[in-house]
């Protein structure tokens, strides 16, 4: 499978994309704002250094490193909560796989799989690819 990548100019994050307390940007709002130009052939990945959040597990404003809406054509990833910036590519790949392939989190919960759910505690050590189950789900 061949994938082309094109970098677009930065877009400002406006106040309309913030949560009610104006402390974080809502990841779902960011995705909706960039998804207008996307389609199945053109996936948009929003990258930011700002703190982002979403509603998850009955928590209205949970801080996250990334978010994808499945199925979808856009996602967002933030460096804000990534302690070692060399791991940021793992967040971006995780969200891209959700978006482009409509894959959910690793059902095997394999510790080495990039698609393992963070469950509020992102762990990157040893994650350098997909487990055999998740690789087979991509159908590439």
């Amino acid at each position: 499978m061949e994938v082309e990548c094109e970098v677009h100019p930065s877009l400002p994050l406006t106040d309309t994309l913030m949560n009610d307390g104006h402390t974080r940007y809502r990841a779902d709002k960011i995705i909706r704002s960039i998804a207008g130009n996307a389609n199945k052939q053109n996936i948009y990945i929003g990258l930011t250094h700002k703190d982002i959040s979403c509603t998850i597990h009955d928590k209205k404003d949970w801080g996250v490193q990334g978010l994808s809406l499945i199925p979808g054509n856009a996602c967002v990833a933030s460096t804000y909560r990534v302690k070692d910036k060399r791991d940021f590519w793992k967040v971006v790949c995780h969200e891209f796989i959700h978006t482009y392939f409509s894959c959910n989190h690793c059902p095997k919960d394999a510790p080495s799989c990039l698609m393992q759910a963070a469950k509020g505690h992102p762990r990157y050590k040893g994650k350098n690819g997909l487990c055999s189950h998740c690789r087979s789900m991509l159908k590439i």
Side-chain angles (χ1 to χ4, degrees), residues 6-75:
E6 187 177 314
V7 178
H8 290 258
S10 296
L11 298 172
L13 290 175
T14 63
D15 287 350
T16 61
L17 301 175
M18 295 195 88
N19 63 7
D20 292 341
H22 289 281
T23 56
R24 297 177 174 151
Y25 289 91
R26 291 289 300 186
D28 52 336
K29 289 181 180 182
I30 294 171
I31 291 170
R32 286 188 197 96
S33 75
I34 63 176
N37 296 321
N39 55 46
K40 196 58 180 170
Q41 287 71 41
N42 296 297
I43 302 296
Y44 278 60
I45 304 172
L47 305 174
T48 185
H49 296 296
K50 302 292 186 179
D51 194 10
I52 60 174
S53 66
C54 67
T55 301
I56 188 168
H57 307 300
D58 297 326
K59 294 186 170 74
K60 185 175 165 73
D61 195 42
W62 186 256
V64 295
Q65 294 178 9
L67 183 70
S68 303
L69 302 177
I70 303 171
N73 53 12
C75 58

Side-chain angles (χ1 to χ4, degrees), residues 98 103-111 113-117 119 130-137:
H98 276 316
C103 286
N104 293 311
H105 288 129
C106 179
K108 304 288 184 188
D109 204 25
C113 186
L114 284 174
M115 292 311 292
Q116 183 187 38
K119 299 177 189 164
L130 299 173
C131 69
S132 58
H133 176 80
C134 288
R135 212 172 19 255
S136 71
M137 297 302 293

Side-chain angles (χ1 to χ4, degrees), residues 79-111:
T79 61
Y80 188 85
R81 294 176 183 280
V82 180
K83 293 190 185 342
D84 185 341
K85 301 306 182 219
R86 294 174 295 184
D87 288 328
F88 187 56
W89 71 270
K90 297 174 184 182
V91 177
V92 176
C93 287
H94 177 98
E95 300 307 335
F96 174 79
I97 290 168
H98 276 316
T99 303
Y100 188 76
F101 295 101
S102 295
C103 286
N104 293 311
H105 288 129
C106 179
K108 304 288 184 188
D109 204 25

